[in-house]
Amino acid sequence: MTDYAAEQEMELEALEAILMDEFKEIHSSESGLDTSNKCYQITVSPQDEEVDEATTMPVQLALIFSHTEKYPDEPPLLNVKSIRGIPVEDLRTLKEKLQQEASENLGMAMVYTLATFAKEWLSERFNENDAAEDLEEEKAKDEVIVPHGEPVTVDTFLAWRERFEAELALERAKLMPESALTATKEKRLTGRQWFESGRASAKGAAPAAEDSEEEDEEDIDFDDDDFEDDDEEDMLEHYLAEKSDSSAHSSRRAN
């Protein structure tokens, strides 16, 4: 003959040792069960980690049970209550699933199995809600209007820089007197010589004496090398500003 009382007592001791603070005895009037026998409550959370403040746990439920006379050869009395954040419809669904699970485990101590089932169900349900929220956030990000324009790459910047330097050289050539441009290479003033001599303010002035030219011949020629020491970061800022103005102009034309 099976000693049901002994088996039930052993299960209660095991649950208390495993679950500790999550397991406690409650009064039958608090259980919601139609019994005067001892009732017990297991607190079930969707995760195993301990939480210091209860307010940080979004959902939590109480699994309430009471042993029947012939338990475990018959299922225990079961009830579930929401401690936080669980709708009534979900509690009803979980209770039905727990009763089905209990009927499949007759003949053995099953309360811990039922508590584990409830934890897994709650975790899946909770994660589904999180996944839905994440999906909504992703959709919202996709709907954000991204400004259109040509992306800045190394190739586009180098191409712009080449055009910019060519335009800059052309503008400087326009400022030089015609005599400086038409003179022979031996007598032609370098760009630096021309600017340092003050002749930029007197366009069309006569070229300097040949002796003076020969003494200054060692100066740097007026070519692209004069600007190789320019800060490329400043040029990049200038390029980006130019692109921004171009994009703004295109937007105004589109409107």
Side-chain angles (χ1 to χ4, degrees), residues 81-147:
K81 291 184 177 181
S82 173
I83 296 178
R84 182 168 36 260
I86 305 176
V88 177
E89 295 78 7
D90 288 341
L91 293 174
R92 187 180 299 113
T93 299
L94 176 58
K95 185 176 180 180
E96 293 175 357
K97 292 181 178 295
L98 287 171
Q99 290 172 339
Q100 180 180 355
E101 187 73 13
S103 65
E104 296 175 358
N105 287 273
L106 293 177
M108 64 184 71
M110 66 181 77
V111 174
Y112 185 76
T113 300
L114 297 178
T116 302
F117 180 89
K119 180 183 289 289
E120 292 175 353
W121 177 89
L122 193 59
S123 297
E124 291 177 1
R125 186 71 174 175
F126 178 67
N127 289 336
E128 286 178 0
N129 292 338
D130 276 355
E133 292 178 359
D134 292 342
L135 182 60
E136 290 298 327
E137 291 180 0
E138 290 297 328
K139 289 182 178 179
K141 291 179 180 179
D142 293 339
E143 292 175 358
V144 175
I145 299 176
V146 179

Side-chain angles (χ1 to χ4, degrees), residues 194-253:
W194 184 75
F195 279 107
E196 290 179 352
S197 66
R199 298 183 184 184
S201 59
K203 185 176 181 181
E210 183 175 351
D211 293 341
S212 176
E213 298 292 337
E214 293 176 354
E215 292 176 358
D216 295 337
E217 189 65 30
E218 295 181 358
D219 287 346
I220 301 174
D221 291 338
F222 184 71
D223 54 20
D224 290 343
D225 292 340
D226 292 335
F227 312 107
E228 287 184 355
D229 292 335
D230 289 346
D231 191 342
E232 291 191 0
E233 292 184 0
D234 293 339
M235 297 186 67
L236 179 58
E237 292 179 1
H238 183 82
Y239 171 65
L240 293 176
E242 183 180 285
K243 295 292 292 182
S244 177
D245 294 340
S246 177
S247 298
H249 180 66
S250 299
S251 298
R252 290 194 296 269
R253 291 183 60 185

